[in-house]
Amino acid sequence: KTKEKRKNQIAKVYQLKISYSNLNKTQKQWLERIFLEAKWLYNYCIADIQNRLNSQTEKIKQVEIKTPNGFETREITCLSSQMKQAIVERIKQNLIALSKAKQKGLKVGKLKFKSQIKAVPLKQNEITFKVLKDKNRIKIQGLKKPVRVLGLHQIPENSEIAKAELVKKPDGYYIYLTCYINKNQITEEKIDKPIAVDFGIKHQLTLSNGIKINYYLEETKRLKKLQKKLSKQKKGSKNYFKTKHKIQKEWQKIQNRRKDIQNRIYSLLKKYQYVIIQDEAIKQWHSGLFGKQIQNTGIGGIISRLRNNLETLMLVDRYSATTKLCSNCGS
């Protein structure tokens, strides 16, 4: 029944930011602790996959952690059994991905220990988490009081909330909500014409209707200054980690701007009947003379977004002469 229902629905992920100023001391400590415990559990399972990756892992309340002074026992107090189960499933998916890569003939190693975990799955709606839309809050399992979130207004009415993910970023904590929306609810203007896109260096995007899109997001002066400061500091010191966190926040701002541009371009192109692009080898562009320009424009990200999400995309062979004037009509 669910599979039949999903055929008429579209999955969308909404990014909600947790209002840090509205959190009390207990909530702040809990949010810090949960990502730490997720790292401990992940590394504990990786250390001995054959014996520890089973259905009993979700009942674990203590794990052994390797420290500079030897092995120590740590208590798991914040992670619920559903969260532990989701982390175990994630490890299994990683192992399956490695196995598939090996079957294709690629050189693969083994799963590595993580220095930090940035996402904790909340897989069951109404149990692991609960959305209180009228109060602009979300109740997370393990926290007594619900947390205030920004952006709940963007979730449409009659949408079905499936799962969520608690994410830690340099600029704060987020909850990613996966919702299923009926296709009838989505109304978009459609242009009954195809559009062709050419990617380049001088003009980042040249459309077949004559529109040229230019943008460039280089590293900020503040980022360069912080990187220079970090190189002079003692590695592992408190000031070193403070500067490193500031660098991560600055990178986050650049990535947000880049993603905003990608979203705008994608929303423009998906209105057309068909989108035609050339099968460009962006990796080779990076190794050439214009590597930095390509990196600062994020063309590779736009192409991968179109390939993964756009159903009406048509690829042209990379060696075809596409950007060429017609000798007959001059188009």
Side-chain angles (χ1 to χ4, degrees), residues 224-280:
K224 290 175 183 177
K225 192 177 178 181
L226 286 168
Q227 285 172 337
K228 194 176 180 182
K229 186 182 177 182
L230 186 74
S231 64
K232 294 176 182 178
Q233 289 177 328
K234 188 183 176 182
K235 197 172 182 180
S237 63
K238 283 186 178 180
N239 287 332
Y240 177 87
F241 285 114
K242 280 181 183 177
T243 311
K244 197 176 179 181
H245 183 68
K246 286 176 183 176
I247 289 170
Q248 287 172 347
K249 281 184 81 172
E250 199 64 28
W251 270 118
Q252 185 69 46
K253 287 178 184 177
I254 295 167
Q255 285 170 6
N256 288 344
R257 292 192 198 109
R258 198 173 290 168
K259 200 168 184 180
D260 180 54
I261 291 166
Q262 289 175 5
N263 289 340
R264 288 165 188 265
I265 291 166
Y266 176 75
S267 63
L268 169 68
L269 295 178
K270 74 175 182 179
K271 291 178 182 178
Y272 287 87
Q273 185 185 15
Y274 293 105
V275 179
I276 305 152
I277 65 167
Q278 203 164 10
D279 187 18
E280 303 284 7

Side-chain angles (χ1 to χ4, degrees), residues 20-35:
Y20 195 78
S21 59
N22 289 91
L23 296 175
N24 57 38
K25 191 179 178 181
T26 308
Q27 288 172 329
K28 288 175 183 177
Q29 287 174 350
W30 187 88
L31 284 169
E32 280 291 331
R33 176 84 181 182
I34 196 167
F35 290 98

Side-chain angles (χ1 to χ4, degrees), residues 66-299:
K66 192 178 180 181
T67 64
N69 302 321
F71 286 93
E72 291 181 9
T73 305
R74 301 285 167 89
E75 296 284 336
I76 302 289
T77 55
C78 296
L79 284 175
S80 66
S81 57
Q82 287 93 343
M83 293 174 189
K84 292 173 195 172
Q85 195 179 0
I87 290 166
V88 170
E89 283 175 11
R90 185 169 284 179
I91 295 169
K92 287 177 181 176
Q93 286 170 5
N94 292 343
L95 290 169
I96 291 164
L98 285 177
S99 178
K100 285 180 180 177
K102 197 174 182 179
Q103 286 171 9
K104 288 178 183 178
L106 297 170
K107 228 179 182 181
V108 295
K110 57 182 181 179
L111 291 180
K112 294 180 179 179
F113 295 105
K114 288 187 179 287
S115 60
Q116 57 180 338
I117 295 279
K118 293 182 180 179
V120 176
L122 310 172
K123 57 182 249 178
Q124 212 165 352
N125 186 19
E126 299 289 334
I127 295 174
T128 323
F129 70 98
K130 188 178 180 180
V131 178
L132 308 170
K133 201 171 181 181
D134 54 330
K135 297 177 181 177
N136 284 332
R137 279 164 173 77
I138 290 179
K139 176 80 172 69
I140 305 171
Q141 191 177 28
L143 276 176
K144 289 181 180 179
K145 289 185 178 180
V147 294
R148 186 171 181 268
V149 291
L150 310 173
L152 264 177
H153 63 277
Q154 60 188 322
I155 298 171
E157 294 294 330
N158 304 322
S159 60
E160 187 184 335
I161 299 167
K163 60 177 183 178
E165 202 168 27
L166 187 62
V167 179
K168 184 182 181 181
K169 288 187 178 183
D171 60 341
Y173 297 98
Y174 292 81
I175 292 175
Y176 285 11
L177 273 184
T178 304
C179 303
Y180 285 93
I181 304 160
N182 289 327
K183 290 180 180 178
N184 303 329
Q185 282 183 258
I186 300 166
T187 53
E188 292 178 344
E189 292 181 13
K190 288 286 180 183
I191 301 167
D192 196 23
K193 286 180 183 178
I195 189 85
V197 187
D198 179 67
F199 299 96
I201 306 297
K202 188 179 179 182
H203 304 292
Q204 278 71 53
L205 274 82
T206 305
L207 308 184
S208 55
N209 56 11
I211 295 171
K212 291 176 182 178
I213 300 170
N214 297 317
Y215 63 93
Y216 192 71
L217 290 169
E218 60 182 351
E219 294 177 6
T220 58
K221 287 181 180 178
R222 186 170 186 269
L223 180 64
K224 290 175 183 177
K225 192 177 178 181
L226 286 168
Q227 285 172 337
K228 194 176 180 182
K229 186 182 177 182
L230 186 74
S231 64
K232 294 176 182 178
Q233 289 177 328
K234 188 183 176 182
K235 197 172 182 180
S237 63
K238 283 186 178 180
N239 287 332
Y240 177 87
F241 285 114
K242 280 181 183 177
T243 311
K244 197 176 179 181
H245 183 68
K246 286 176 183 176
I247 289 170
Q248 287 172 347
K249 281 184 81 172
E250 199 64 28
W251 270 118
Q252 185 69 46
K253 287 178 184 177
I254 295 167
Q255 285 170 6
N256 288 344
R257 292 192 198 109
R258 198 173 290 168
K259 200 168 184 180
D260 180 54
I261 291 166
Q262 289 175 5
N263 289 340
R264 288 165 188 265
I265 291 166
Y266 176 75
S267 63
L268 169 68
L269 295 178
K270 74 175 182 179
K271 291 178 182 178
Y272 287 87
Q273 185 185 15
Y274 293 105
V275 179
I276 305 152
I277 65 167
Q278 203 164 10
D279 187 18
E280 303 284 7
I282 299 297
K283 196 175 181 180
Q284 293 177 13
W285 290 22
H286 275 278
S287 58
L289 295 170
F290 304 103
K292 200 165 187 180
Q293 286 91 323
I294 295 299
Q295 186 182 341
N296 290 335
T297 53
I299 287 174

